[in-house]
Structures are given as C-alpha cells and as structure tokens.
C-alpha cells in the first residue's frame, strides 16, 4: 500500500472511532435525560398500591393535582368510610332520594350499563352478599346458604333507581347497599389521566392496583408502545407470563389471587356471581381487559370473571375491548 492508501485508512479509523464514541455518548445522555424527566409517586388508596409515573419536566404540580383527584374519588367511593357518598346511599332509607356528586352519578350510570350488558353479572348492589364473605378476619369461613339466600333478595336491578336529571338515587329496600370496588379504581385511573393531561403532561403511566392507563409515546421503547406484563396468578415470584401491548388506553386485570381465603381445602375469592351469591367458579385465575377507558375495562373484567371466557369475550367485544385469561 502506498502512503495515500495509508492516510485514507487512518482517516477512516479515526472517523469510525469518533462515530462510536458519539453514539455511546448520545446513548448515555439520552438515558440520563429520560431519568431526569421521569417522576414517580406511589400512594396507598382504594385499599391498594396506586402509582403514577410521568415523563416530563416540571411535573410536580401535575402529580399533586393527580393524587388530589384520586384521593377525592377514594373518599367518595369508600365503602368503609361513613362520610363517603357510597355510605350516604347505603345508610339511607328506602324511598329517600339521596343526592350524589357528579362522579358517583357517572359511576352509577356506567355500572347500570354494564349490569344490563352483562345480564346482571356485574352488579354493584352485590354488597349485602359480598359483605357476608369476610376476607380480613382471623379465620374466615363461608357464610351459610340461608344467609346467602336472604342477602340475595336485596341484589339486582330493582333495588336501586337512578334519577339522572336530579342527580339522585333511591333504594327499594332499607338494607340495599352498593359496593363500587369493581369499578372505582379504573374510574380513578381515567380521571387521573385527564388531570395530568390538563396540566400539560403528554406522557404517563398510571397503575392503580392493576388498573393501568397509559398515554403518549413510551420514551423507553423504540416504537413508543407500552408493554404491560401480566403476572402469572399465584406465582410466588410474581413473574410475567404474557404481555399486552398498547399505544395508549387501559389494561385492567382482575384476579382471584388478589383477595381470597382457604377453608377446608377450598379457595374462596372476592368476585361474587350474583346468580349464586358465591365466588364465581371459573377455570382461570385472572382476566385482563384492554379498552379505551379503565372504568369500562374494570367493570368488564369483573363481569367477565363471573361470565367465563366465552361469554366474557362476547361481552367485551360489544365495547370494542379485548380479553385475556390466565
Ligand atoms: P375487581 O378487583 O375490579 O374485579 O373488583 C372486585 C370487587 O368488586 C370485590 O372486592 C367486590 O367489592 C366487588 N364485586 C364482587 N363481585 C362483584 C360483582 N359481581 N359485580 C360488581 N362488583 C363486584
Ligand atoms: Mg373490576
């Protein structure tokens, strides 16, 4: 090789060395940039872990507003708080028109829609039966058939009437009670997404106890999509056995493993079939619904748990949603 060839080779080498160094540097800076703009906060609300992760500069105020909104919804819907709107309804006499907040009205309307669409599988008036199944006591055991039959008389379409124009709700029986546990977390995740957007956040992921809402481009993936890992039910290590991919929207999981007890070798979980008053019997342990809204996906996931895979798939299809069971 002559001197000219040698020079060209050296120039090429230098060029590639600089290129590699620049790429590395850019990568490191980009990762550092992502880290510096990532902000996560976690709180315990709705009896579960609620986290919000935003990718944006100056997101502190947005996060405060988001958790204020979540807390407000928690306070309105909390079955165990005597000051909640839900308790106001539950403590009312039959025939009394109870005024409720716009949020509760919205929740009741959606619950009514899913109740009809699911042929009663999703039913917020399940509360008198659901309360018979105690999960938080020392040694839980199933209620008697007599107790279940008596409580089931209070459950169903006729036990609650909604007056949308006056924002009131009226019960048919003094003992009618509602439980929004099957829809409130998803609803809150939706509302939090709206609050974040109104504060100028254009990219975030919200996870309220398995009720996930993501919007904007995921800065951590090449294609900007969000990949949600679905936990293997009852896995001690919590490993993922499937992933669901979305550009934006909601992914909601309902699982028996989230709340259950064992009695005489039988597992009893927290999703009650309103037809029997007992935990639904299915061959799967978790249902994941992917939909535009998390409130919708939350209610649909609970309903699908009662209906089973075939009927559940048909139901979610009516709402342009999809379903996975594990
Ligand atoms: P999720 O985790 O969203 O499936 O909701 C489960 C919770 O919803 C339970 O802990 C109960 O508070 C409530 N629930 C149980 N069975 C039903 C049902 N058939 N319809 C509506 N809510 C229910
Ligand atoms: Mg639900």
């Amino acid at each position: 090789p002559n001197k000219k060839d040698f020079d060209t080779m050296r120039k090429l080498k230098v060029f590639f060395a600089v290129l590699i160094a620049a790429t590395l540097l850019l990568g490191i800076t980009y990762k550092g940039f992502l880290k510096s703009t990532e902000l996560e906060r976690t709180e315990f609300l709705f009896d579960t872990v609620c986290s919000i992760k935003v990718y944006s500069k100056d997101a502190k105020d947005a996060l405060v507003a988001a958790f204020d909104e979540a807390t407000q919804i928690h306070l309105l819907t909390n079955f165990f708080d005597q000051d909640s709107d839900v308790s106001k309804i539950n403590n009312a006499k039959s025939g009394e028109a109870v005024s409720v907040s716009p949020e509760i009205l919205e929740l009741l309307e959606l619950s009514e829609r899913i109740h009809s669409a699911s042929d009663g599988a999703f039913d917020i008036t399940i509360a008198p039966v659901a309360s018979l199944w105690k999960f938080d006591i020392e040694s839980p055991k199933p209620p008697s058939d007599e107790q279940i039959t008596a409580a089931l008389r209070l459950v169903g379409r006729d036990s609650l009437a909604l007056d949308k124009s006056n924002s009131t709700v009226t019960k048919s029986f003094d003992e009618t009670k509602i439980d929004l546990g099957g829809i409130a977390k998803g609803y809150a995740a939706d509302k939090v997404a709206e609050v974040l957007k109104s504060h100028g956040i254009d990219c975030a992921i919200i996870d309220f106890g398995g009720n996930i809402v993501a919007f904007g481009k995921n800065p951590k993936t090449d294609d900007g999509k969000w990949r949600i890992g679905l936990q293997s039910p009852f896995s001690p290590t919590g490993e993922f056995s499937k992933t669901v991919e979305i550009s934006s929207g909601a992914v909601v999981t309902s699982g028996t493993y989230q709340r259950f007890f064992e009695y005489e070798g039988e597992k009893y979980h927290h999703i009650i079939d309103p037809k029997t008053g007992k935990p639904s019997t299915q061959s799967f342990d978790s249902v994941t619904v992917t939909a535009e809204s998390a409130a919708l996906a939350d209610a649909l996931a609970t309903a699908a748990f009662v209906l089973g895979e075939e009927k559940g798939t048909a139901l979610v299809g009516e709402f342009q949603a999809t379903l996975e069971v594990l």
Side-chain angles (χ1 to χ4, degrees), residues 209-227:
N211 291 250
I212 294 170
V213 173
F215 63 87
K217 271 195 160 53
N218 184 350
K220 291 193 163 166
T221 57
D222 295 336
D223 56 5
K225 287 194 174 160
W226 304 87
R227 290 184 185 84

Side-chain angles (χ1 to χ4, degrees), residues 247-279:
S247 297
S248 69
V251 178
V252 172
T253 300
S254 259
T256 56
Y257 55 95
Q258 288 157 335
R259 217 174 169 77
F260 71 96
F261 66 80
E262 273 175 290
Y263 181 77
E264 293 183 346
E266 285 278 336
K267 270 200 179 80
Y268 297 94
H269 63 82
H270 66 140
I271 299 170
I272 309 295
D273 183 342
K275 290 208 159 70
T276 62
K278 295 179 180 176

Side-chain angles (χ1 to χ4, degrees), residues 120-126 130 135 179-183 185 209 211 252-255 258-259 270-274 298-299 301-303 305-306:
F122 182 81
D123 193 334
I124 56 168
T125 68
I126 195 71
F135 297 90
D179 173 356
L180 297 176
I183 190 171
K185 291 189 289 285
N211 291 250
V252 172
T253 300
S254 259
Q258 288 157 335
R259 217 174 169 77
H270 66 140
I271 299 170
I272 309 295
D273 183 342
D298 193 359
T302 306
F305 224 105
V306 172

Side-chain angles (χ1 to χ4, degrees), residues 122-299:
F122 182 81
D123 193 334
I124 56 168
T125 68
I126 195 71
V129 179
S131 327
L132 294 175
W133 297 87
K134 305 217 184 306
F135 297 90
D136 302 322
I137 59 172
E138 188 80 32
S139 15
K141 64 175 199 192
S144 70
D145 286 347
E146 290 73 32
Q147 282 175 298
I148 292 173
T149 310
L152 269 179
R153 290 196 196 104
L154 303 163
V155 178
R157 196 187 303 272
D158 305 328
S159 57
L160 206 65
L162 214 56
D163 181 343
K164 288 164 202 169
S165 46
N166 288 312
S167 287
T168 60
V169 53
T170 309
K171 307 194 301 187
S172 307
F173 313 100
D174 290 347
E175 302 88 352
T176 301
K177 284 187 175 27
I178 63 162
D179 173 356
L180 297 176
I183 190 171
K185 291 189 289 285
Y187 178 78
D190 281 339
K191 288 287 169 186
V192 159
E194 278 174 32
V195 168
L196 291 174
K197 284 176 190 169
S198 75
H199 276 76
I201 303 294
D202 48 27
C203 182
I205 183 158
I206 300 145
D207 183 351
F208 281 11
N211 291 250
I212 294 170
V213 173
F215 63 87
K217 271 195 160 53
N218 184 350
K220 291 193 163 166
T221 57
D222 295 336
D223 56 5
K225 287 194 174 160
W226 304 87
R227 290 184 185 84
I228 317 292
L230 308 186
Q231 198 186 316
S232 313
F234 296 107
S235 151
T237 50
E239 85 248 18
F240 297 143
S241 58
K242 234 181 201 176
T243 46
V244 170
E245 199 178 86
I246 53 164
S247 297
S248 69
V251 178
V252 172
T253 300
S254 259
T256 56
Y257 55 95
Q258 288 157 335
R259 217 174 169 77
F260 71 96
F261 66 80
E262 273 175 290
Y263 181 77
E264 293 183 346
E266 285 278 336
K267 270 200 179 80
Y268 297 94
H269 63 82
H270 66 140
I271 299 170
I272 309 295
D273 183 342
K275 290 208 159 70
T276 62
K278 295 179 180 176
S280 67
T281 46
Q282 300 299 348
S283 54
F284 49 80
D285 294 308
S286 93
V287 166
T288 299
V289 173
T290 305
E292 262 312 298
S293 122
L296 176 68
D298 193 359

